[in-house]
Amino acid sequence: MARVQLETSVQYLKGVGPKVAKLFKKLGVETVYDLIFFFPRDYDDRSLITPIAALQPVIMSVIIAEIIALDLQLTRSRFSVLKVKLADKSGQIQAVWFNQPYLAQLFRCGMRLVVTGKLEISTFDASRQFQARDYEIYAPDLPKIIPVYALTEGLFPKKLRGIIKNVLDDLLDLVQDWLPKAIKKKYALAELQPSIMRLHFPDKLDEVAPARRRLVFDEFFSFQLGLGLRREKVKAQPGITFQVDQVILDRFLSSLSFKLTAAQARVWQEILAEMVSARPMNRLLQGDVGSGKTIIAVLAALVAIKSGYQAAVMAPTEILAQQHFEKMTKLLKSFKVKVGLLTSTTSKQGTNHSVDKYDLVVGTHALIQEGVGYKKLGLVVIDEQHRFGVVQRAALVQKGVTPDVLVMTATPIPRSLSLTLYGDLDRSIIDELPPGRTPVKTYFVPESKRAGAYNFIRQEIMAGRQVFVVCPLVAESEKIDLRAAIAESERLQKEIFPEYKVGLLHGRLKNKEKEKIMADFKVGKINVLVSTTVIEVGIDIPNATVMIIEHAERFGLSQLHQLRGRIGRGGEQAHCFLLADAKSPEAKARLKALIDSTDGFYLAEVDLQLRGPGDFCGTRQSGLPSFRVADIIRDEKILCEAREAAFGLIAEDRESARNIWQNQGEKAQGANSGAPLN
Ligand code: ADP
Ligand code: MG
């Protein structure tokens, strides 16, 4: 056989073969490298032996006992149960093994076993049984700490442990320690090979933490190195140096009906400084719902346009694009800026496929279609960035020549996530809401108090305010949900608010219809707008003061916060009613957090804790890397250290950073898809 390398398929290892290799594949293990880096998810501590008589139900325990009887039962469907009677000085118990009939050949009466498992007491006849998870034939020098790996049907723990032990004994030397000595020293990191060994087979449990820390560090370090190098590469290209006409800017600012908040003014200076410098801008603007990001985008666009460039603003929905178009047209009216709208509707009409004549182009994905050519695109703004993938961002950027890029998001991304997702972007944060906003009051409304909520709404409408009623609409049950939303709007119109106008907005409507409904709502022709989550992002109707969220338990916390952000935008006190049937503790925790707080960053942290990073970002968010060992929430501190180390190395010695990344970093990054060096 050819020499085994890290890239060799596990199939060629001792004791593996094609059949077991298939099982490994299910666990994401294909190569020797994967196997070496396939770490246990837990450990059994066999230094704590429980006497049989002292076993407690449910608790994973270890017993040492002698086999006194064996009974193998085969069912017709080739299912097998091996029942083994075990005894120690304190008592006896029956242990069971499922689907491992060969154990009947291996086990003999009189043999002593070390068995890990759980006591189960039948609710039917109170009989006691030991559900064996793992076993070892007793010997006085057995290891005390046993790794527990993720398993798949057909792959048993003992077998897996044996294969991994062999691989480590024979092939661990193939793994090179790739971290520079100085970094290991500075961050007090353990050596790589012993760390790998100890993480698999620790002699004592307290060896695990330092070993794990080293491996987590490596994963984050390689990821951050990739991000950092990508960022450097972008920064190294010459960008556009925009000219600032202060007179025009001042005139624009004084044309607004408000003064910028201190936070807006600060981030605007950060953005402006980068626009006038020759480095290309690649910046994330974060700010909670309603913090006033749009105006910052308009300021940046004005600078770009007055320097002779085009600016593009991309939004995730037609409604939002339309709203931006209207608002920006109005704001820029006396500044000789030609504003155009490009959405799938406008491009179907074939009216403005050519965007040459516009200074500012506002639109949806239609902006990045093939055939849409820009004259001189100098600034790209992407609103609600979390709704787009990395690819779409890149596609718009490619329409210009190193344009400055500003991506905006209202999803307050927790720090750990933003370091991973947006680690290549500089960040500006608007951490303040415009003055005069009163935080929305949020209530849980049980079904029995629904009528009370409607009475409250009636009073608000009489005072001239408007109302959102949000119904869930999820892909899996879209048809049913849509019907429910339609039925709800009819019910509200006929039975609850016959004297007022109830409107309905959902994604299936034609764009013209959507526009009409939004326009009617904006001018107050519609009092109550029943809507699916199409209103989630960006919609700005300051006169809306009440929101009912139906089936609130079906929404994620960040999404609820976004939805609620549609109200409370004027000076009036706004109210949000959560109608929910929250049974699971997780759903209850979500709703409670929403009622207790209006701080988007806090809520995002809670959401992340409750749901974990994958769900938090949703499937759309393809940029989220998957780490083998690291956990971006739990290991945030190591993440920050690794980032500091990686960015420090790049600043110090770019060449060697690049070499390290190319030789080892990509590999250390493993299954991770996050940071290609393109
Ligand atoms: P978001 O950050 O959620 O995109 P918007 O840009 O839509 O928020 O702004 C929300 C509302 O706040 C808009 O009606 C906008 O005109 C208003 N606004 C923005 N900045 C200020 C300010 N400094 N003072 C008062 N109102 C402001
Ligand atoms: Mg916005």
Side-chain angles (χ1 to χ4, degrees):
M1 186 176 69
R3 240 185 75 226
V4 175
Q5 313 215 304
L6 290 173
E7 296 76 25
T8 307
S9 160
V10 287
Q11 173 179 343
Y12 303 107
L13 291 172
K14 244 187 282 173
V16 182
K19 232 173 104 193
V20 176
K22 251 195 207 141
L23 298 176
F24 269 128
K25 196 164 175 194
K26 284 195 194 153
L27 296 168
V29 173
E30 298 189 45
T31 64
V32 170
Y33 186 94
D34 293 338
L35 193 58
I36 293 176
F37 286 83
F38 182 69
F39 291 108
R41 46 187 179 84
D42 200 3
Y43 302 90
D44 275 347
D45 185 351
R46 288 192 186 156
S47 58
L48 294 166
I49 306 298
T50 308
I52 288 174
L55 284 172
Q56 296 291 320
V58 188
I59 302 167
M60 195 56 75
S61 323
V62 184
I63 58 175
I64 297 183
E66 191 178 316
I67 300 175
I68 53 175
L70 277 168
D71 176 24
L72 178 66
Q73 297 172 355
L74 293 165
T75 66
R76 230 180 283 145
S77 49
R78 296 169 81 208
F79 186 78
S80 82
V81 184
L82 177 65
K83 297 185 172 172
V84 178
K85 187 151 272 178
L86 294 169
D88 67 8
K89 275 185 209 135
S90 75
Q92 296 187 358
I93 190 145
Q94 175 165 282
V96 284
W97 275 269
F98 296 105
N99 293 331
Q100 299 175 68
Y102 55 88
L103 291 180
Q105 257 73 62
L106 182 69
F107 291 168
R108 295 274 172 272
C109 284
M111 203 178 242
R112 283 179 86 195
L113 298 180
V114 184
V115 190
T116 308
K118 276 183 203 170
L119 173 67
E120 300 208 332
I121 301 178
S122 160
T123 47
F124 174 61
D125 59 2
S127 64
R128 293 152 61 88
Q129 182 165 291
F130 197 62
Q131 204 97 56
R133 177 169 83 174
D134 197 8
Y135 77 94
E136 201 81 49
I137 295 166
Y138 178 81
D141 56 351
L142 283 179
K144 295 283 184 270
I145 309 294
I146 307 299
V148 178
Y149 295 94
L151 289 174
T152 184
E153 172 126 23
L155 194 60
F156 295 102
K158 207 170 137 63
K159 164 112 179 158
L160 180 55
R161 275 204 308 275
I163 294 170
I164 293 180
K165 186 81 173 65
N166 280 340
V167 166
L168 293 182
D169 287 344
D170 299 348
L171 302 170
L172 184 55
D173 272 342
L174 294 175
V175 177
Q176 303 287 325
D177 196 333
W178 62 302
L179 281 189
K181 278 206 180 69
I183 289 180
K184 283 192 274 186
K185 187 149 175 259
K186 179 164 178 202
Y187 296 96
L189 295 165
E191 295 297 322
L192 184 57
Q193 288 185 7
S195 295
I196 293 174
M197 197 57 161
R198 281 189 196 121
L199 199 48
H200 282 289
F201 298 105
D203 288 327
K204 285 180 283 173
L205 277 180
D206 54 13
E207 289 176 0
V208 171
R212 183 174 178 281
R213 179 161 175 272
R214 169 63 209 256
L215 284 141
V216 170
F217 188 95
D218 279 25
E219 278 191 304
F220 284 148
F221 182 77
S222 89
F223 184 73
Q224 293 293 335
L225 203 57
L227 282 178
L229 287 167
R230 185 164 74 187
R231 182 169 173 270
E232 279 289 295
K233 202 175 159 189
V234 173
K235 294 273 174 207
Q237 296 163 336
I240 303 167
T241 310
F242 292 102
Q243 311 297 318
V244 178
D245 186 335
Q246 198 57 50
V247 177
I248 291 186
L249 276 184
D250 288 344
R251 190 155 69 82
F252 178 79
L253 286 170
S254 57
S255 76
L256 298 175
S257 60
F258 51 77
K259 251 184 84 204
L260 293 187
T261 61
Q264 282 172 316
R266 190 192 65 237
V267 305
W268 170 233
Q269 286 313 315
E270 290 167 6
I271 290 166
L272 190 60
E274 239 185 340
M275 288 185 77
V276 301
S277 89
R279 285 178 313 152
M281 174 164 78
N282 219 350
R283 187 170 286 273
L284 175 70
L285 175 58
Q286 253 184 299
D288 210 344
V289 252
S291 61
K293 295 181 291 295
T294 315
I295 203 72
I296 303 295
V298 176
L299 278 162
L302 192 59
V303 167
I305 292 161
K306 291 303 165 192
S307 306
Y309 289 88
Q310 285 178 297
V313 177
M314 183 157 76
T317 65
E318 298 230 356
I319 294 181
L320 190 53
Q322 176 78 29
Q323 177 184 289
H324 278 334
F325 170 70
E326 285 165 16
K327 200 175 224 174
M328 291 178 185
T329 306
K330 210 185 280 168
L331 285 168
L332 294 167
K333 205 163 112 202
S334 53
F335 292 86
K336 297 209 185 72
V337 173
K338 281 198 225 81
V339 188
L341 177 67
L342 186 64
T343 64
S344 56
T345 316
T346 65
S347 54
K348 243 182 261 152
Q349 293 159 348
T351 42
N352 55 5
H353 223 70
S354 151
V355 294
D356 271 11
K357 52 183 178 292
Y358 299 119
D359 304 308
L360 173 59
V361 196
V362 182
T364 56
H365 302 84
L367 291 180
I368 53 177
Q369 285 172 113
E370 231 175 284
V372 178
Y374 297 79
K375 189 172 47 181
K376 205 179 169 193
L377 183 58
L379 175 75
V380 162
V381 178
I382 297 175
D383 195 16
E384 309 294 349
Q385 150 72 23
H386 60 287
R387 290 299 200 93
F388 293 104
V390 183
V391 180
Q392 288 157 322
R393 195 210 305 173
L396 186 52
V397 170
Q398 251 136 51
K399 296 274 186 184
V401 180
T402 57
D404 274 7
V405 179
L406 182 65
V407 303
M408 310 200 290
T409 182
T411 307
I413 305 150
R415 191 169 121 95
S416 54
L417 258 190
S418 95
L419 283 180
T420 9
L421 274 176
Y422 301 119
D424 60 330
L425 303 177
D426 296 301
R427 270 219 289 182
S428 291
I429 301 181
I430 307 183
D431 51 5
E432 173 186 9
L433 293 180
R437 302 259 173 94
T438 5
V440 178
K441 285 190 181 151
T442 305
Y443 321 81
F444 181 76
V445 182
E447 200 51 49
S448 59
K449 299 222 173 110
R450 183 182 277 275
Y454 290 146
N455 283 336
F456 181 88
I457 286 175
R458 203 164 285 119
Q459 284 165 22
E460 287 285 304
I461 300 176
M462 278 196 288
R465 315 261 171 262
Q466 289 167 284
V467 181
F468 282 111
V469 176
V470 182
C471 300
L473 189 135
V474 288
E476 302 93 73
S477 55
E478 204 180 300
K479 274 197 185 136
I480 304 168
D481 284 348
L482 191 56
R483 250 184 279 136
I486 295 169
E488 180 64 7
S489 76
E490 286 167 359
R491 188 182 75 87
L492 289 175
Q493 180 69 83
K494 280 195 202 120
E495 294 169 27
I496 315 288
F497 302 116
E499 69 274 41
Y500 298 116
K501 175 78 183 133
V502 178
L504 173 66
L505 185 69
H506 58 76
R508 288 290 180 85
L509 294 175
K510 295 219 174 69
N511 286 308
K512 276 273 168 270
E513 295 170 300
K514 282 190 218 161
E515 275 166 35
K516 171 94 171 59
I517 290 164
M518 281 315 289
D520 284 354
F521 193 51
K522 204 166 267 179
V523 298
K525 279 194 209 160
I526 292 175
N527 309 96
V528 179
L529 184 64
V530 178
S531 168
T532 57
T533 36
V534 286
I535 60 149
E536 178 193 340
V537 290
I539 301 301
D540 190 34
I541 310 278
N543 192 47
T545 56
V546 187
M547 175 173 283
I548 289 189
I549 303 180
E550 298 283 348
H551 294 288
E553 80 281 359
R554 288 173 60 187
F555 296 95
L557 186 49
S558 295
Q559 201 183 8
L560 286 167
H561 177 65
Q562 286 277 325
L563 285 168
R564 183 174 59 178
R566 299 307 117 218
I567 56 170
R569 301 188 143 229
E572 308 299 325
Q573 176 64 59
H575 306 267
C576 179
F577 299 111
L578 306 175
L579 279 133
D581 181 17
K583 292 212 178 71
S584 79
E586 202 244 83
K588 281 190 185 134
R590 236 184 296 146
L591 299 184
K592 180 169 183 335
L594 192 76
I595 291 166
D596 290 347
S597 173
T598 52
D599 177 346
F601 277 92
Y602 167 76
L603 292 173
E605 290 283 357
V606 175
D607 200 17
L608 186 60
Q609 308 269 351
L610 287 173
R611 290 199 290 165
D615 284 341
F616 179 88
C617 293
T619 43
R620 229 184 287 250
Q621 198 49 268
S622 48
L624 190 67
S626 59
F627 296 107
R628 293 174 200 269
V629 194
D631 171 335
I632 54 182
I633 305 171
R634 198 172 125 194
D635 301 318
E636 185 178 328
K637 188 157 168 269
I638 309 177
L639 172 60
C640 294
E641 290 174 342
R643 180 176 171 89
E644 180 190 84
F647 279 55
L649 181 66
I650 293 168
E652 230 166 71
D653 184 351
R654 197 153 169 266
E655 260 333 285
S656 82
R658 185 168 279 277
N659 285 337
I660 289 175
W661 202 82
Q662 267 161 2
N663 292 337
Q664 287 294 328
E666 268 175 288
K667 201 185 288 160
Q669 207 175 288
N672 205 325
S673 58
L677 236 198
N678 43 27

